[in-house]
Amino acid sequence: MQPSERLSKIPPYLFAELERKIAAKKAAGVDVISLGIGDPDMATYPQVVAAVQQAVADAGTHQYPSNRGRDEFRQGVAKFYERRFGVQLDPETEVMPAIGAKECIFNLNLAFLDPGDVALASDPGYPVYTGGPTLVGSEAVLLPLKEDLGFAPDLDAVPAETLAKAKLLYFNYPNNPTGAVVPDGFFEKVVALCEAHDILAVSDMAYSETTYDGYVAPSFLATPGAKDVGVEVFSWSKGYNMTGWRAAAIVGNADALSAFWKLKSNIDSGLFEAIQLAAVRALEPDVDAEVAKQNAIYTRRRDLVVDALTAAGVKVQKPKGTIYIWAPIPAGFDSSAAYCEHVLEQAGVVISPGGSYGASGEGYFRISLTTPDDRLLEAVERIRKL
Ligand SMILES: *Cc1c(COP(=O)(O)O)cnc(C)c1O
């Protein structure tokens, strides 16, 4: 049996590999603490659980869902976008459900790229921005996220021949893995670039609701002209503790959504309607308090980790959003992978090597805050002692 040529062109998914290593350590009796994957450890909010229980008991949700989404879903998301971001969306043409942001982002590659085309992706960045284009026979061109530009790519530095081939531009603020929030003026630059070169802008909003210290993340679509050139992928996974539910929405440019719908209706059969109904329940104003409580917990964990690392001499910033701490590896290690291997071997703590998010992530490691406080403290203490 010979897997496809295209499959040989991508590495194993980052966390698939990590899961294997953790299992081996645990089997050997090590008390492993995983600060690797960003998967919220707390339960989905009670209002949402109650909503899905009610929805699942209604036989009207049991058949094949429509790929376009139920009216309640499209209207609920549009209402939320207006209330939360000041963005007006036509529920008929500018909102659709997706089976998680990961599925959505992968499928955008199938919908918009041909061989020879380019997707502009960030380095470091979410692995699907690079694996996706490769799997569909196109190319991801990496734009380094520079700390002095606020971890935004230098769009002026993209060569003209690359822009001529580019069909997609991925960006993600609040940002995984760096924890950065969008620098002033970046969204406006994206609109200008995408307009000039006929590129579809894809704003990945996985962390829009996970922010701290009073920071409120804006939508790309609130930028003048953004809806003419772009879409936004909103996900319930991180902000609502719903990673297992596979709930996301793609919103924005109606032509792009129409292409995405055509593709999707040939690939999958949509998002379970009980989940669509529960997902929009999460967007009602009374759930905001749950999100705020959750963010207070992450703020406490963030401070605990940053203070411990700072005390250990690591130069690290307190992020205003996401569930990650992005910090430089100590001197004396050849690579972030070597440092993370060392931490796993000697301390039984899993952290993610920055280099696995792209070459510009080399020299950094990422800690996820999705572990209870006591385990998080213990892990940081073990790392400090090394
Ligand atoms: C977690 C994450 C996603 C995945 O979201 P799902 O809706 O669970 O598929 C997408 N983008 C980024 C940047 C993420 O960190």
Side-chain angles (χ1 to χ4, degrees), residues 100-102 126 129 172 176 204 206-207 235 237-238 246-247 324:
K102 190 177 189 181
Y126 185 57
Y129 307 152
N172 157 232
N176 173 12
D204 177 351
Y207 300 93
S235 170
S237 284
K238 312 296 169 34
R246 314 312 304 133
Y324 308 111

Side-chain angles (χ1 to χ4, degrees), residues 89-274:
L89 296 171
D90 176 358
E92 288 302 313
T93 58
E94 296 178 336
V95 180
M96 255 184 74
I99 310 171
K102 190 177 189 181
E103 172 266 301
C104 183
I105 291 164
F106 177 76
N107 278 328
L108 284 170
N109 294 293
L110 269 179
F112 289 97
L113 299 179
D114 285 311
D117 290 340
V118 152
L120 301 171
S122 43
D123 162 29
Y126 185 57
V128 186
Y129 307 152
T130 46
T134 308
L135 277 174
V136 306
S138 305
E139 192 194 346
V141 169
L142 295 174
L143 309 182
L145 300 189
K146 303 203 169 135
E147 190 158 3
D148 56 340
L149 295 179
F151 288 112
D154 182 358
L155 296 180
D156 299 329
V158 184
E161 63 269 26
T162 302
L163 289 173
K165 291 194 259 178
K167 302 276 294 291
L168 293 173
L169 167 63
Y170 291 117
F171 52 94
N172 157 232
Y173 295 99
N175 182 259
N176 173 12
T178 66
V181 298
V182 66
D184 285 343
F186 177 74
F187 285 160
E188 287 78 3
K189 281 191 170 173
V190 168
V191 171
L193 184 90
C194 290
E195 239 165 31
H197 299 277
D198 196 20
I199 298 169
L200 179 68
V202 182
S203 167
D204 177 351
M205 282 288 262
Y207 300 93
S208 62
E209 305 314 301
T210 308
T211 57
Y212 316 118
D213 305 338
Y215 177 79
V216 179
S219 164
F220 167 66
L221 296 178
T223 315
K227 223 200 270 174
D228 298 329
V229 297
V231 293
E232 191 152 79
V233 184
F234 178 84
S235 170
W236 278 261
S237 284
K238 312 296 169 34
Y240 301 87
N241 298 337
M242 288 171 66
T243 48
W245 297 54
R246 314 312 304 133
I250 179 170
V251 299
N253 188 276
D255 294 333
L257 262 71
S258 165
F260 183 69
W261 179 24
K262 180 178 177 191
L263 176 87
K264 253 178 88 68
S265 52
N266 279 285
I267 291 185
D268 64 64
S269 299
L271 178 63
F272 182 23
E273 290 192 354

Side-chain angles (χ1 to χ4, degrees), residues 35 41 301 304 369-378:
L35 312 182
D41 56 309
R301 292 179 183 174
L304 184 152
L369 301 175
T370 51
T371 298
D373 293 30
D374 54 333
R375 294 291 278 168
L376 196 56
L377 253 187
E378 152 115 26

